[in-house]
Amino acid sequence: MKAPSAYYKPLAIGAPAPFREIPVRLERMIHFVPPHIEKMRAKVPDLISKVDVVLGNLEDAIPADAKSDARSGFIQMARDNDFGSTGLWSRVNCLNSPWFLDDVMQIVQSVGDKLDVIMLPKVEGAWDIHYLDQLLAQLEAKAGLSRPILIHAILETAEGVKNVEQIASASPRMHGMSLGPADLAASRGMKTTRVGGGHPDYAVLSDETGAGTRATFQQDLWHYTVAKMVDACLSNGLKPFYGPFGDFSDPQACESQFRNAFLMGCLGAWSLHPTQIEIAKRVFSPDPQEVAFARKILEAMPDGTGAVMIDGKMQDDATWKQAKVIVDLARLVASKDSGLAEVYGF
Ligand code: GLV
Ligand code: MG
């Protein structure tokens, strides 16, 4: 365990000082782009105005013989575009792959000044974060960067879930985490081929009453993991995200999975298909009615203490804090989305 006084020291001479707090940014959807495909790179200028984060994917879904083209394609797309307030991330290959080192070294050296976050797959424990943390500090110093690149871990192995708290507190470079339900299902030996979402057989059966058919109630396969991830993240000031939803033909199920994650504390999800951008925008922007009610609470309790009744519901210091979470998020959304700003009444 590092001494508290050393926690925020740069890990290489000349590297930028770590952030004390993660920069406040709207990250409702992390939109995946396969950067080896020129047609997809050509869509990036248009995407920048539509999404909160553009991510160049170098890992799974990129064929082995296209790994190097994906890396150079990402560098190209980072150079060719001005991302403004839209985040630029890359999902690099995992630590034990033959591609990871070149991914990180080449990207930081060439476009490190534009890169906000590296998404690191298959994180198993704090040691994985420590390694990338040190490497990034060396590369940032070498490239003369003035702003640290953050790390976002994918929670997608049984070992990673077991160690999630140590991963979250491993470094001030941590941005947050995403649930990776596909790899996690495989790692845990779960018997599903779905990428996220529920499963009709994961259900509870109502009691036998003698009245005929017994009802079943589908349960959420991911509840435990999302809850564990949210607690690990929020207790360390990090941001939790739901990851991919693979069935593009079922937008309703995607929306339901995203909404469960939102209600549990997540701030965004991955969009793997253009239709999922709108779903994520809808789900991860707070509901206007909820915002209006939350504003009433804040207005009724200007100093955040005491107890009042609003529309028959008891409010106190704790509900004031709940309301503030919603209003703060609505303000952040409003700062980017003038349409929603108007709906929220800001
Ligand atoms: C994402 O990477 C997943 O494995 O679900
Ligand atoms: Mg994965």
Side-chain angles (χ1 to χ4, degrees):
M1 183 64 181
K2 206 177 255 193
S5 59
Y7 190 71
Y8 288 103
K9 284 208 177 120
L11 293 181
I13 296 166
F19 290 122
R20 296 265 160 171
E21 279 181 27
I22 306 167
V24 176
R25 293 184 84 153
L26 191 59
E27 292 163 340
R28 294 166 296 181
M29 74 297 292
I30 303 163
H31 190 74
F32 272 53
V33 175
H36 57 301
I37 303 174
E38 203 187 334
K39 199 176 82 187
M40 295 299 185
R41 287 202 307 273
K43 294 185 180 176
V44 170
D46 183 46
L47 261 182
I48 290 173
S49 60
K50 295 199 163 72
V51 303
D52 296 336
V53 175
V54 174
L55 176 143
N57 179 29
L58 310 185
E59 199 226 11
D60 292 356
I62 307 299
D65 60 4
K67 292 288 187 188
S68 151
D69 287 350
R71 188 189 301 133
S72 53
F74 176 73
I75 291 171
Q76 195 62 47
M77 84 186 216
R79 282 198 176 125
D80 286 351
N81 293 285
D82 177 358
F83 290 83
S85 65
T86 301
L88 176 64
W89 298 20
S90 178
R91 177 169 81 164
V92 297
N93 287 285
C94 61
L95 286 164
N96 64 0
S97 74
W99 307 292
F100 166 83
L101 196 57
D102 286 337
D103 288 348
V104 177
M105 285 182 44
Q106 291 181 22
I107 287 172
V108 177
Q109 189 62 41
S110 347
V111 290
D113 55 335
K114 290 189 125 178
L115 187 68
D116 295 299
V117 175
I118 285 186
M119 182 182 271
L120 184 64
K122 300 174 179 64
V123 173
E124 305 256 50
W127 53 89
D128 289 337
I129 305 300
H130 293 156
Y131 171 71
L132 179 56
D133 194 10
Q134 182 76 63
L135 179 63
L136 281 174
Q138 292 172 325
L139 295 172
E140 285 166 349
K142 190 160 179 255
L145 302 188
S146 54
R147 185 179 62 126
I149 296 164
L150 296 176
I151 301 174
H152 182 99
I154 312 182
L155 196 59
E156 53 181 352
T157 67
E159 176 91 4
V161 175
K162 189 186 79 182
N163 294 322
V164 67
E165 288 169 25
Q166 290 93 315
I167 294 169
S169 61
S171 161
R173 203 187 277 283
M174 283 299 291
H175 162 277
M177 279 178 219
S178 289
L179 172 75
D183 269 302
L184 183 55
S187 168
R188 279 178 172 161
M190 290 166 70
K191 312 301 180 291
T192 169
T193 52
R194 297 178 174 206
V195 177
H199 193 291
D201 296 338
Y202 190 72
V204 288
L205 185 66
S206 67
D207 282 357
E208 175 72 86
T209 58
T213 323
R214 293 165 68 179
T216 58
F217 301 93
Q218 200 173 317
Q219 305 291 296
D220 183 357
L221 272 175
W222 306 107
H223 178 82
Y224 158 78
T225 318
V226 172
K228 201 169 170 182
M229 176 180 75
V230 167
D231 283 345
C233 283
L234 271 292
S235 60
N236 284 283
L238 311 185
K239 298 170 79 170
F241 292 72
Y242 177 76
F245 188 87
D247 187 352
F248 302 155
S249 70
D250 194 349
Q252 255 184 307
C254 175
E255 180 152 351
S256 156
Q257 177 76 78
F258 283 8
R259 185 156 286 111
N260 284 351
F262 175 69
L263 288 169
M264 289 272 289
C266 291
L267 288 163
W270 303 359
S271 47
L272 303 181
H273 187 273
T275 54
Q276 295 183 337
I277 297 173
E278 280 312 310
I279 299 176
K281 200 176 276 186
R282 192 159 57 242
V283 171
F284 293 101
S285 307
D287 175 61
Q289 280 184 357
E290 196 79 81
V291 175
F293 188 67
R295 289 184 74 187
K296 269 197 200 173
I297 299 174
L298 298 190
E299 279 153 24
M301 298 173 62
D303 71 353
T305 68
V308 296
M309 292 298 287
I310 301 177
D311 302 346
K313 299 180 184 75
M314 186 282 299
Q315 310 299 328
D316 67 2
D317 307 42
T319 58
W320 185 90
K321 289 177 200 152
Q322 288 176 272
K324 190 160 181 322
V325 168
I326 299 206
V327 174
D328 285 352
L329 179 58
R331 283 196 193 283
L332 187 60
V333 170
S335 69
K336 179 155 178 172
D337 186 326
S338 56
L340 271 172
E342 205 172 314
V343 176
Y344 291 150
F346 290 136

